[in-house]
């Protein structure tokens, strides 16, 4: 895990020293993403690559930018979980390190950018050769961030918006997931959020068989996401999704004779905090908590908005408790697993069943919301963890899990007779958690942690009755509540020239 920055110059005679100075400034803005190391390199006359490193895999040999004997160099942010399989397929003789990122470099050199669909994991990368060839790419879901700004002189790339200088912010856009860019081809899509051609037919398969398959594919993903040369923990909210992840991870750690570390946050007595404590006790984890109160929550909002790089009220409310959770976890581990993505795969939100209950409509809506996660929950998840030099991993959003979940008959995702959501997923993990917690009703994280009650009244009170309408008219931005306007003002101080429509995704409601 890391932060990356890169520049590509059109063949117009740009001074390499100017390119280097511009790149070093960009890299200096994202050092929090890689507190363990940083380095950069000019590649030929037209490219500069920079990298800040959080060392998790191949601690000794995984330094970047990574170079190949033919001059190709690469910076990669993320984790490639099937790098061992890629090594076997391409031939170990092509590899010089044990770094998972080297799989991307060798794959690009040997097979070209169209082969990037073979990478399984979360990643964003830039690679360059001395002869002027250049590739930028992002994983199919956009789990890892990448932004770019194109001008007549070339293109800039970085992991966060704050890395772009004010004069480039107006041109900055979110790099689209599942795409690569080269100067010769422009943008090319190489993969979709929902993998194609990997569907399974469930005709005649009993419900218990489908539940067993769900359990197996998810448990396999959790175990693969524990890949590291350092300890990996779990964010434990006490909800179904993170509790399942914790249960599988705790069993895997137990099989090694080790004890999993779990982390929870909430206001004293909040539902999430109490449930997480009970799950941790049942699983026997080494559990850590951090408490949230109004003064503490309000004190970090400016930093949270600047880090998350959004003003969406729902996103900020959930990001504040996650800020403290990340701060706590970073004191004990370098990486954590989370439960992100389960609701979008197994129809965990009420609105799926209110407005999209018909099988065809439900499937389309699940696919649509999966494709938007990169600008919502995944953006929040990445930014608040990396602000503290911590890596977040999302086993529910593994390609195998997505392919499996999206192949399930829609009726398996319907509400239970009592209105309970995700019954299929709950039954799949019967016995892994106490029944009372396995069938605990869903609570939104910003609500269950107590953050909404602490933040919303305070920030609503800071905006006058007429200010919201005036701000909407002046900015041309859809600002839906006084609270959101308060966050927007903080966002504008941090990123004065960024165009929200080019870089942000918004929740349907604030």
């Amino acid at each position: 895990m890391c932060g990356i920055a890169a520049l590509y110059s059109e063949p117009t005679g740009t001074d390499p020293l100017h390119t280097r100075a511009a790149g070093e400034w960009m890299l200096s803005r994202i050092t929090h993403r890689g507190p363990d190391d940083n380095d950069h390199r000019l590649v030929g006359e037209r490219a500069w690559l920079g990298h800040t490193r959080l060392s998790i895999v191949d601690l000794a040999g995984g330094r970047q930018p990574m170079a190949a004997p033919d001059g190709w160099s690469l910076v990669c942010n993320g984790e490639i979980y099937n790098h061992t399989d890629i090594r076997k397929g391409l031939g170990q003789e092509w590899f010089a390190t044990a770094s998972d990122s080297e799989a991307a470099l060798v794959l690009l050199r040997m097979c070209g950018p169209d082969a990037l669909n073979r990478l399984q994991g979360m990643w964003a990368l830039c690679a360059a050769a001395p002869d002027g060839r250049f590739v930028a790419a992002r994983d199919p879901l956009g789990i890892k961030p990448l932004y770019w700004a194109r001008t007549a002189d070339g293109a800039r790339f970085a992991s966060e918006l704050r890395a772009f200088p004010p004069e480039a912010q107006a041109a900055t856009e979110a790099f689209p997931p599942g795409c690569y860019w080269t100067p010769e081809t422009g943008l090319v899509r190489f993969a979709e959020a929902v993998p194609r051609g990997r569907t399974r037919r469930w005709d005649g398969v009993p419900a218990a068989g489908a539940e067993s398959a769900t359990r197996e594919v998810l448990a396999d993903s959790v175990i693969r996401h524990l890949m590291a040369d350092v300890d990996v923990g779990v964010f434990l909210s006490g909800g179904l999704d993170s509790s399942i992840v914790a249960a599988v991870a705790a069993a895997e750690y137990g099989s090694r004779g080790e004890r999993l570390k779990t982390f929870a946050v909430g206001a004293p007595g909040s539902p999430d905090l109490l449930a997480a404590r009970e799950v941790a006790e049942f699983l026997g984890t080494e559990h850590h908590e951090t408490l949230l109160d109004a003064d503490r929550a309000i004190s970090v909002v400016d930093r949270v908005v600047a880090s998350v790089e959004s003003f969406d009220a729902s996103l900020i409310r959930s990001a504040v408790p996650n800020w403290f959770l990340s701060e706590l976890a970073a004191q004990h581990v370098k990486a954590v697993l989370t439960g992100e993505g389960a609701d979008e795969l197994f129809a965990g939100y009420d609105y799926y069943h209110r407005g999209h209950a018909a099988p065809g409509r439900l499937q389309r809506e699940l696919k649509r919301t999966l494709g938007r996660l990169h600008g919502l929950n995944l953006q929040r998840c990445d930014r608040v963890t990396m602000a503290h030099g911590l890596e977040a991993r999302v086993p529910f959003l593994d390609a195998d899990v997505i392919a499996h979940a999206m192949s399930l008959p829609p009726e398996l995702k319907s509400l239970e007779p009592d209105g309970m959501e995700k019954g299929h997923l709950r039954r799949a993990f019967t016995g892994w958690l106490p029944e009372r917690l396995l069938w605990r009703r869903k609570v939104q994280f910003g609500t269950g942690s107590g953050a909404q009650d602490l933040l919303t009244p305070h920030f609503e009170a800071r905006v006058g009755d007429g200010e919201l309408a005036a701000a909407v008219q002046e900015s041309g931005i859809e600002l839906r509540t006084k609270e959101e306007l308060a966050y927007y003002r903080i966002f504008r101080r941090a990123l004065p020239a960024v165009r929200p429509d080019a870089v942000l995704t918004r929740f349907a409601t604030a």
Side-chain angles (χ1 to χ4, degrees):
M1 185 61 63
C2 68
I4 62 174
L7 287 85
Y8 168 80
S9 298
E10 294 290 349
T12 54
T14 303
D15 182 359
L17 293 179
H18 174 76
T19 299
R20 174 183 288 168
E24 289 179 3
W25 185 91
M26 292 179 68
L27 196 64
S28 73
R29 302 279 293 165
I30 53 173
T31 54
H32 54 276
R33 296 186 67 91
D36 294 337
D37 193 13
N38 69 84
D39 201 0
H40 53 83
R41 175 181 295 130
L42 279 169
V43 184
E45 295 291 321
R46 293 166 57 186
W48 177 95
L49 303 177
H51 184 268
T52 66
R53 187 183 185 205
L54 179 66
S55 304
I56 293 178
V57 175
D58 191 8
L59 306 186
R63 198 165 194 255
Q64 298 186 34
M66 192 166 284
D70 59 2
W72 269 100
S73 295
L74 170 139
V75 288
C76 181
N77 169 27
E79 304 290 348
I80 297 167
Y81 299 114
N82 66 334
H83 73 100
T84 300
D85 294 337
I86 291 173
R87 288 168 183 273
K88 291 177 181 177
L90 297 178
Q92 185 60 47
E93 66 273 13
W94 295 97
F95 292 82
T97 76
S99 170
D100 56 299
S101 295
E102 193 177 12
L105 177 58
V106 175
L107 194 65
L108 277 172
R109 290 170 56 217
M110 295 183 65
C111 306
D114 288 313
L116 290 171
N117 63 358
R118 293 168 60 181
L119 300 179
Q120 192 165 353
M122 53 178 194
W123 52 269
L125 61 83
C126 291
D131 60 7
R133 286 175 291 171
F134 187 94
V135 180
R138 190 179 183 190
D139 71 68
L141 273 173
I143 300 173
K144 298 321 298 173
L146 187 64
Y147 296 94
W148 64 333
R150 288 171 288 177
T151 66
D153 296 330
R156 298 172 183 253
F157 302 83
S159 298
E160 296 185 12
L161 291 168
R162 71 176 74 194
F164 293 86
E167 66 270 18
Q169 285 183 11
T172 303
E173 301 176 326
F175 192 93
C179 292
Y180 69 78
W181 177 86
T182 74
E184 297 77 25
T185 63
L187 271 176
V188 177
R189 177 163 294 282
F190 66 86
E192 301 285 348
V194 177
R196 293 181 176 179
R198 298 173 62 179
T199 58
R200 172 179 173 179
R201 297 190 63 85
W202 296 96
D203 300 342
V205 178
E211 291 157 11
S212 176
T214 294
R215 181 172 59 255
E216 289 173 7
V217 72
L218 184 55
D220 178 69
S221 176
V222 170
I223 292 168
R224 277 188 284 109
H225 280 70
L226 292 173
M227 175 193 81
D229 295 328
V230 295
D231 279 351
V232 178
V234 173
F235 278 176
L236 183 57
S237 72
L240 175 69
D241 311 327
S242 66
S243 297
I244 286 174
V245 171
V248 176
E252 175 64 15
Y253 263 65
S255 71
R256 308 174 189 173
E258 302 173 22
R259 193 179 180 199
L260 178 72
K261 296 179 175 70
T262 53
F263 306 93
V265 62
S270 60
D272 280 359
L273 199 66
L274 296 177
R277 192 177 299 166
E278 192 173 344
V279 172
E281 185 176 356
F282 177 81
L283 297 177
T285 68
E286 179 187 314
H287 192 56
H288 302 268
E289 297 178 350
T290 185
L291 297 178
L292 201 59
D293 60 37
D295 289 343
R296 197 174 185 218
I298 292 164
S299 72
V300 301
V301 166
D302 282 27
R303 281 184 285 166
V304 168
V305 172
S307 292
V308 176
E309 300 183 326
S310 175
F311 53 85
D312 185 282
S314 296
L315 205 64
I316 300 306
R317 283 195 296 265
S318 65
V320 167
N322 270 283
W323 177 274
F324 294 108
L325 190 61
S326 300
E327 183 180 59
L328 170 67
Q331 299 170 22
H332 301 272
V333 297
K334 283 195 169 186
V336 291
L337 307 188
T338 83
E340 306 290 350
D343 288 316
E344 288 76 14
L345 292 175
F346 296 98
Y349 297 125
D350 286 343
Y351 95 92
Y352 284 134
H353 307 285
R354 291 197 308 269
H356 306 277
R361 290 192 63 184
L362 178 60
Q363 190 76 350
R364 288 192 296 272
E365 183 62 9
L366 293 175
K367 185 175 181 179
R368 186 189 73 84
T369 52
L370 276 170
R372 288 168 55 86
L373 272 178
H374 66 91
L376 294 170
N377 292 353
L378 291 175
Q379 180 167 327
R380 181 256 301 149
C381 182
D382 172 84
R383 298 301 202 286
V384 296
T385 52
M386 291 308 296
H388 296 91
L390 179 72
E391 175 178 283
R393 300 178 174 184
V394 286
F396 273 100
L397 295 176
D398 177 81
D400 289 345
V401 178
I402 293 173
H404 166 80
M406 295 301 285
S407 77
L408 291 171
E411 55 268 24
L412 291 183
K413 301 176 185 180
S414 299
L415 294 177
E416 297 294 296
D418 64 353
M420 181 72 76
E421 84 290 345
K422 292 189 287 195
H424 167 79
L425 185 60
R426 296 174 193 274
R427 281 187 289 272
F429 283 87
T430 297
W432 288 71
L433 295 165
E435 281 293 295
R436 191 180 69 79
L437 295 172
L438 187 66
W439 291 90
R440 179 191 175 217
R441 288 193 178 274
K442 180 177 180 61
V443 181
Q444 296 289 345
F445 183 64
T447 303
S449 66
Q452 182 168 358
D453 293 339
L454 301 176
L455 295 172
T456 301
H458 174 83
F459 286 98
E460 290 276 342
R462 293 179 63 178
V463 177
D465 290 339
E467 292 183 60
L468 180 60
V472 170
Q473 184 173 3
E474 179 183 353
S475 67
I477 305 296
E478 183 188 9
L479 300 167
R480 297 164 290 185
T481 65
K482 293 180 181 180
E483 180 187 12
E484 196 159 78
L485 172 56
Y487 299 150
Y488 174 74
R489 288 169 171 168
I490 301 169
F491 173 87
R492 270 292 171 234
R493 290 197 294 271
L495 298 165
V498 161
R499 294 176 296 126
D501 62 308
V503 298
L504 297 186
T505 306
R506 309 284 299 283
F507 278 112
T509 58

